[in-house]
């Protein structure tokens, strides 16, 4: 990547400093294998150590630095007393970003590049790091802001010195990184989505990379690693088949047996009898079955979520095990990994990058209990964290089991969170305009009318909820910050949507209770309403700047209650076009108003533009309507009618009862 392009992307990025640490390692001690949860700089300010970053091994001496991207594996072995700074940061492009920049970032991400550097002028860099570290330790928000400012100055100084020497960063070998991760974590639950998220690439790109260089899918390679490990356990231990399965990453003995037989042609028990003690065990067949060998629903805690709890409770940094000598087990794992890489990566064809593309009724829950270095990056109080797989309108997404820092970008559905006693940390501007939510919105940050990547990044969410009409480019940016759930807009009833929010937040029981109470209330009042209204028609009409809008049983304004819950009749044209049809609402001219007007009318000004409602209400056509003459027109709240969340439905039902029955039931 050209350094000028590298600098250009830094200029358009929103930067969040996640952690700043200072460490000291005595001679012969090490930082164990640590998988970077974010992009990172390591700057040596005293001593010397051997630093391994994936396949890049260097001797890092005083005033040298190394950079690596999220997902890279870092290992440090001190040769003499070694002192260094570690700075973890996250960078995403600001929204909106040009398509050219976005494409460039997808092709070559400078925040994941690996490089080491001997600055010709190290003092300015060191001074900024020392100031940053001092500010960071104060835990004062103002000083943290200063630390972020100093980090940008540090980047400017670094890029200037790189430019001065004519150096350019090198793109890391993604395949080598993923293979190494598989070798070290095959005992754990791993999915293709996890690997793509962990190494900041799309599922399709990762699959094509494996296919082009290994002629296998990632999950097939993982299955081979697991099955080869199971061979060793079968032949050289006396543990049960269930325990073998658990040790190599399978959920049960049956799944292992089925996959083992596909791979080796024999079930494990017969294999053990035939080859017990024989070290000339047959290798995997040259041509493997194409069927999937790993359960589709296997999931794991994402590095994004690890990163969230890594720095929330306190700035604890990486626990360094002092006095730990280089492990022979770790060395053996590295040898195995390198052997696999040498045999697998001889084909160096470079593939082109590519991007990936009903709401859930189930969630698959997993718990992160890793004992490796990646888990050591978390604070002691967050040693284990659970996730679940949620199926949104676009597919599977791994989210926290009980999200705590939610940002709501739906613009209208925030009441589904509030009624479940879940308060998001921030929400879109439209979410905060509902008068029915008054008193429930305290301390929720207004994120503005459009998603702002920099502002959202600063809030450090663990989940973002939006509707599926969000632009794909915006989704891609937000997904770099936290898991994003895209709910299908307008699908099902408000009760269906509430159930989805219950599943997302772990409050499904509370959602079901609200629905039961709502249905009981509807059952009580429906006969009373039907007695008053009978077979007469009801319509919902709203003047706006260019005419009049009629509404059906979707999109708020009380339509879900009037036509759905209470089952009242609509004028034929509304029934045909908006209730039986696919439309939410339809605009009409003033001349067509009598055709859409029912015997009862619920109305208000549109409320979201500068339209003059009196153009309609003052017209002779309006005044001649039977509902107007019979004083059967009810003026709904022009702001609150827009919403159809549970809190708004309760307020709208109260108004409907007052209108029809003259009661405050």
């Amino acid at each position: 990547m050209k350094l000028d392009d590298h600098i250009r992307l830094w200029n358009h990025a929103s930067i969040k400093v996640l952690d700043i640490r200072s460490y000291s390692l005595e001679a012969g001690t090490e930082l164990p294998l640590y998988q970077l949860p974010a992009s990172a700089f390591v700057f040596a300010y005293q001593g010397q150590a051997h630093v391994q970053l994936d396949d890049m091994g260097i001797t890092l001496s005083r005033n040298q630095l190394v950079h690596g991207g999220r997902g890279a594996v870092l290992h440090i072995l001190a040769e003499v007393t070694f002192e260094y700074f570690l700075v973890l940061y996250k960078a995403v492009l600001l929204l909106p970003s040009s398509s050219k920049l976005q494409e460039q970032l997808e092709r070559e991400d400078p925040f994941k590049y690996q490089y080491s550097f001997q600055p010709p002028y190290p003092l300015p860099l060191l001074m900024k790091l020392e100031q940053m570290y001092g500010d960071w330790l104060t835990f004062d928000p103002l000083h943290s802001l200063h630390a972020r400012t100093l980090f940008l100055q540090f980047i400017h100084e670094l890029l200037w010195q790189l430019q001065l020497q004519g150096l350019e960063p090198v793109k890391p070998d993604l395949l080598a990184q993923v293979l190494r991760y598989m070798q070290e974590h095959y005992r754990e639950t791993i999915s293709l989505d996890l690997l793509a998220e962990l190494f900041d690439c799309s599922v399709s790109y990762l699959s094509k990379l494996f296919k082009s260089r290994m002629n296998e899918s990632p999950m097939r390679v993982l299955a081979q690693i697991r099955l080869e490990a199971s061979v060793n356990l079968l032949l050289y231990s006396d543990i049960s088949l269930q325990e073998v399965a658990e040790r190599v990453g399978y959920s049960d003995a049956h799944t292992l047996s089925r996959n083992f037989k596909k791979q080796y042609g024999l079930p494990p028990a017969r294999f053990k009898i035939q080859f017990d003690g024989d070290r000339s065990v047959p290798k995997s067949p040259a041509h493997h079955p194409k069927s999937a060998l790993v359960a589709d629903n296997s999931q794991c805690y994402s590095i994004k979520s690890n990163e969230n709890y890594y720095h929330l409770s306190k700035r604890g940094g990486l626990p360094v095990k002092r006095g730990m000598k280089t492990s022979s087990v770790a060395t053996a794992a590295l040898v195995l990994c390198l052997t696999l890489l040498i045999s697998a990566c001889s084909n160096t064809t470079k593939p082109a990058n590519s991007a990936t593309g009903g709401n859930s009724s189930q969630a698959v829950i997993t718990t992160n209990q890793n004992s490796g270095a990646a888990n050591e990056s978390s604070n002691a109080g967050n040693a284990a964290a659970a996730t679940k797989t949620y199926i949104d309108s676009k597919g599977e997404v791994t989210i926290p089991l009980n999200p705590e820092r939610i940002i709501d970008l739906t613009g209208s559905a925030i009441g589904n969170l509030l009624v479940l006693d879940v308060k998001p940390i921030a929400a879109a501007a439209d979410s905060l305009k509902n008068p029915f939510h008054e008193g429930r919105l305290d301390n929720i940050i207004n994120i503005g009318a459009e998603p702002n990547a920099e502002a959202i990044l600063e809030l450090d969410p663990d989940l973002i909820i939006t509707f599926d009409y969000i632009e794909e480019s915006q989704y891609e940016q937000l997904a770099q910050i936290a898991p994003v759930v895209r709910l299908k807009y307008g699908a099902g009833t408000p009760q269906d949507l509430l159930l989805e929010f219950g599943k997302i937040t772990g409050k499904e029981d509370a959602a079901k209770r609200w629905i039961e109470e709502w249905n009981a209330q509807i059952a009580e009042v429906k006969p009373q309403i039907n007695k008053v209204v009978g077979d007469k028609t009801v319509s919902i009409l709203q003047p706006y700047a260019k005419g009049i809008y009629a509404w059906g049983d979707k999109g708020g304004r009380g339509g879900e209650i009037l036509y759905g819950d209470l089952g009242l009749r609509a004028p034929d044209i509304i029934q045909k076009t908006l209730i039986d049809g696919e439309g939410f609402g339809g605009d009409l001219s003033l001349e067509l108003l009598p055709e859409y007007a029912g015997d009862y009318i619920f109305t208000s000004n549109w409320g979201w533009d500068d339209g003059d409602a009196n153009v309609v209400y003052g017209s002779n056509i309006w005044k001649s309507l039977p509902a107007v003459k019979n004083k059967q027109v009810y003026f709904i709240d022009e702001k609150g009618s827009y919403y159809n969340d549970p809190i708004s439905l309760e307020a709208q039902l109260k108004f409907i009862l007052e209108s029809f029955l003259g009661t405050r039931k």
Side-chain angles (χ1 to χ4, degrees), residues 81-99:
T81 299
F82 181 66
E83 298 179 2
Y84 64 98
F85 286 112
L86 174 69
V87 181
L88 292 170
Y89 72 94
K90 180 187 284 185
V92 297
L93 290 187
L94 290 168
L95 292 176
S97 58
S98 69
S99 57

Side-chain angles (χ1 to χ4, degrees), residues 226-241 243-245 247-248 256 260 264 266-283:
R226 285 171 166 166
L227 291 171
E228 288 172 9
S230 71
V231 167
N232 290 326
L233 290 172
L234 284 169
L235 298 183
Y236 306 116
S237 72
D238 295 322
I239 61 177
S240 67
L241 187 59
E243 190 172 352
V244 171
R247 287 193 184 187
V248 300
L256 170 62
F260 193 97
Y264 294 108
L266 293 172
R270 287 182 58 192
F271 185 95
K272 181 175 177 64
I273 293 171
Q274 184 170 336
F275 294 99
D276 193 15
D278 185 357
R279 293 186 179 272
S280 60
V281 177
K283 297 296 181 183

Side-chain angles (χ1 to χ4, degrees), residues 516-533:
E516 289 172 359
E517 293 170 1
W518 175 262
N519 290 339
Q521 187 176 9
I522 292 296
E524 180 184 353
V525 302
K526 186 174 181 178
Q528 302 173 47
I529 298 293
N530 286 335
K531 186 176 180 180
V532 172
V533 180

